[in-house]
Amino acid sequence: MSLLSIAAFSRRAHSGLRRMGVATVALLMLPLALAGEGIHLGVSTCANSTCHGSKTPLPGALVEQNEFLVWSQFDKHAKSFNALKGERGQKIAANLGLGPAEQAGACLSCHADQAPASLRGKGFSLADGVGCEACHGGASNWLGVHASGVNSHAENVAAGLYPTDDPTARAKLCLGCHLFKDDGGSQHRYYAAGHPRLRFELDTYTEERPGHHRIDADYRKRKPGSYGSRAWVLGQVAASRKIVDRLLSGKDGALWPDYAVFACFGCHRRFGDGEPGSSGLPPLQDAPIRLSALALSTLGSASGAKLDNALDTLNQAFAAAGSSGWRPAAIKLAAQLAAAEKELRARSEQATDAGLLYQAVLGRAANGQFARHHLAEQATYALATLRLADPALATAGSEANDQAMDELFATAGMAATFEPARWQQAARSLASPGQASPPSQQ
Amino acid sequence: MRTLIRQQASDGTWKESPVEGSRLTIGRATQQGLQLPGLMVALQHAELQLAGADGRYRLTAKALTGVEFVGRTNVREALLKAGDEFTLGGHQLRIEPPRPGFDLVITVTLVSGQSLARAPARLDLDSGGLSKRRPALYLVALLLLFGLLVPLVMIAVGRPAPLRSLLPTDAAWASGPVTAGHAHFGHQCQTCHESAFQSIGDSSCTACHAEVKHHSDRAEIVGLHGFKDRRCADCHQEHRGASALIPQNPALCTGCHARPETLAGFEQMPAVRDFKREHPPFRYTVSALAADGSGLVDARIGADAAGHLQDVSGSLFPHDSHLAVEGMQGPNGKEKLVCASCHVPDTAKAGFLPLDFQKHCQRCHELKLVTPERTLELPHGQNEASRFLVEHFYAPAVRQQAASSPPPDSTRRRIGADGAETPPATEPPDAKTVVSEVFEYQVCGKCHLIDNSGEHPRVIPPKLRQTWMPSARFVHAPHTAVPCADCHQVSESHTGSDLNLPNIDTCRQCHVGSHDSEGVQSTCVSCHNLHLAKDQLMSARPVADTTPPAAAEPP
């Protein structure tokens, strides 16, 4: 999803919110109404020293107020435009035949806040990269409501502020650049031209930037269910939906879906390195779907098994050579994912037990069921996220655990030369730190 | 031959004048010995000379008409002796007996016998019986009667009521009330009337109004089209009432401006006939960002297709959020701003006092930079000083804080061993970066356009104009009954580059020209001044020379 589409998406979201008046419910009603999105006023509008550009919090402030400084100094979003001007950016654009990357709409749609020309205010600059309004929405309609300091977050959202506190909305926003651009074209072409492979896990990526917000008790009280296990599982479902939607809509040439919906290392590997269980066909990038199904089953929902079955049906349809039967299977899977999302959104953070989910993922990991790289990668993120989200696990860390976690990350990081056995071994030592000795760090 | 000519003067006395020459030439021409007036006299009509020694003279006619002699006309030649007479072009010439010292004595009289003192025809009034003297005397008597005697009598006896309307008043003497502005001259007529019974010259006006601007700085305008040979008083007529000095008659302007196509060099000007019926849309002098982004330049624009006017004032002030009906967050809570919160009428209520940062903005926009050690308040309007403060007092604090506290800690990490990831920037920002952030984002760029074309970022000084229509004048005072928003639609304006001025249609909702009556009748000078020059003064008239001065200068 390009930022342009984010804008379009948020526009729909905003108007929906206005109509419904309730942010979280309205988010499911996204693609319907259309209303004017606000003008993007530019980073300088937010970064004033009396607003979000202060070195120290102002009296009575709920937030740090140094958000701009954190963004500009530490957040790579602030440097995304300049990345286009770098050697790699120029080379990718040249390979794609786009001319200078910093002028190419296909690049700017994610590397900058590519608001339409009519929605660019005086202080707006593409060179600011992914600035405040790229995610929080063009501010002209909600800035007054927000800056007045007397309105609630829900009122700000009703006026047009993008509800980034909602995990599903946040996931859709992020995935639009961090998994697939929403232009229906081929993401695979970007990879082929040299763009880094995109992967995403909502809760990790939300917190890792470093975040320009501080999650404290007050924050958790104001934004319940925004982070932790609930964010993780809703992020998995959103990514799943994104992948299946891409399978149904993306194009790589006239006939084929966007190759980027398949796991990269299903095809891109040395001869003879066949992944275990390989059918010889490109495997769908289905890690988020498997993990969503696992989460649902673990939480006692029958939807989990249904999801697994639907995914199996889709994979079998792929395997049936010459068949176009995969499409109905994919449509069915998409419908089940939508239902699963609705079901999971209804759960509170407490009803999405991080400890339970952690043990379930870890069980499968130790069991060798995440033997493909893309599965191991998402499972690694899942374990790290869920471990931190569970209060008991988060505080019960040991050196052995940390070592095992390091090993999981290191092994998952060696994408092209992924060793499933080594990763499984690390998972085992995490599951029972006393019994299995961690493998050597070579 | 010496000749004595005897002629009777207009007063009847005889004049005798001697003439030398071998002969006496007679004619109308000036070199003739005997010059005779009258169209019947040829330039060289005849000659007389001695014929032998016996006192006879030979007359030779030079003109075709000859002379009359002894009852015969057109005599070409004759021998004359003393006592003979001949006639020539209405003049009778008689040969007199010789006198000592003179060879010839000749007497000239008119044929009719009348004296030369009386002209043959009278064309003046007197000769028609219309002498001026008599009516003048009657008039003086009449004036004395009604202008002096009757008033004197009335002073003594009072004005009888039945006759009051018939009797003359002082108005009969006065030439009309003086303009309010000149009333303080009182009875010192010579202030303007330098010499009696002569029209007022421009010097009388410019003696006081030396600084009055000319109608244009352009010589080709001032030198042409009716400006050149006019006196001030031709347009600005005194003694016509308290405010008559400013001519209101639109015809004075539209006489030329309705037909610009007839004026050389002004063919492209839009025609103006009447404010309501024929007047071009307003044009505005605004600012635009220079091509290199380093400052603002003047531009002259009309409204675009959507009716929008853009004036890049350099200020980003959004009217809509400041005037939001629900109010705006101020330092002491929510406050509701209105137009008059910032736009304070000037003394004359014509326009508004200049906006002032300290008065109108600073209460909320403090320009503060807070560090753990100190609070810096940047000096408004001073690029260099502000940069100095940021470089020397704020940037070190930012660097120190960045160095002492690593980026906000995160317990998260990415899987990243395939070279795609780079570690987040942890290098503390240098002073230049901090200055740039303060100017562009944290402080200045909030309200101002920033010029990044130079070595350091710089606030482009905004140009908040007092007027955008320098050729017209608008006075707010008579319009106070109209709400501001009727003409200035600022509630939808979210950038300081919107020029929220009305167009001509807004004005026409109330104002009409002099040809209509269903509205406020407005003439050219209701809005326009004519003395528009910047440098050229009326006292320096004329600037009529349209030849380029460079051509006249020596190399």
Side-chain angles (χ1 to χ4, degrees), chain B residues 404-428:
Chain B
S404 61
S405 56
D409 200 19
S410 174
T411 50
R412 300 310 180 86
R413 55 179 150 171
R414 286 195 193 184
I415 298 168
D418 56 359
E421 308 293 340
T422 48
T426 50
E427 178 68 21

Side-chain angles (χ1 to χ4, degrees), chain A residues 356-371:
Chain A
L356 217 53
L357 293 172
Y358 174 79
Q359 294 302 345
V361 175
L362 187 56
R364 275 201 192 182
N367 221 3
Q369 283 177 281
F370 297 130

Side-chain angles (χ1 to χ4, degrees), chain A residues 39 43-45 47-51 53-56 58 68-70 72-74 76 79 88 122-123 128 140 144-145 147-151 178 196-197 199 201 203-205 207-211 377 380-381 385 388 402 405-406 409-410 412-415, chain B residues 310 312 316 320-321 326-329 334 364-372 394 397-398 401-402 405-427 429 434 437 440-446 449 494-495 497:
Chain A
I39 287 170
V43 172
S44 57
T45 305
N48 200 249
S49 61
T50 53
C51 299
S54 177
K55 202 87 202 87
T56 52
L58 301 176
F68 162 74
L69 297 169
V70 171
S72 82
Q73 287 170 24
F74 304 115
K76 283 197 278 187
K79 319 218 165 16
R88 185 175 191 174
K122 208 75 205 161
D128 285 338
S140 68
V145 179
S148 71
V150 296
N151 294 304
H178 283 276
R197 181 170 63 94
R199 47 269 168 88
E201 193 282 300
D203 202 53
T204 304
Y205 276 51
E207 291 308 307
E208 181 270 347
R209 283 170 289 132
E377 191 174 65
T380 305
Y381 278 137
T385 296
L388 278 169
D402 289 348
M405 196 59 84
D406 287 348
F409 270 89
M414 290 180 277
Chain B
Q310 194 182 44
V312 184
L316 304 181
D320 57 351
S321 50
E326 67 270 17
M328 198 177 211
Q329 184 69 15
K334 209 150 188 160
C364 298
H365 299 276
E366 292 179 298
L367 312 189
K368 274 183 180 166
L369 288 170
V370 182
T371 71
Y394 184 61
V398 172
Q401 199 166 351
S405 56
D409 200 19
S410 174
T411 50
R412 300 310 180 86
R413 55 179 150 171
R414 286 195 193 184
I415 298 168
D418 56 359
E421 308 293 340
T422 48
T426 50
E427 178 68 21
V434 174
E437 283 185 351
E440 283 190 60
Y441 299 107
Q442 284 176 267
V443 182
C444 318
K446 170 89 171 174
L449 291 182
H494 34 238
T495 163
S497 294

Side-chain angles (χ1 to χ4, degrees), chain A residues 416-436:
Chain A
T417 56
F418 178 60
E419 297 172 59
R422 193 174 148 195
W423 189 85
Q424 187 188 353
Q425 184 59 38
R428 275 190 189 152
S429 56
L430 189 62
S432 41
Q435 292 159 24

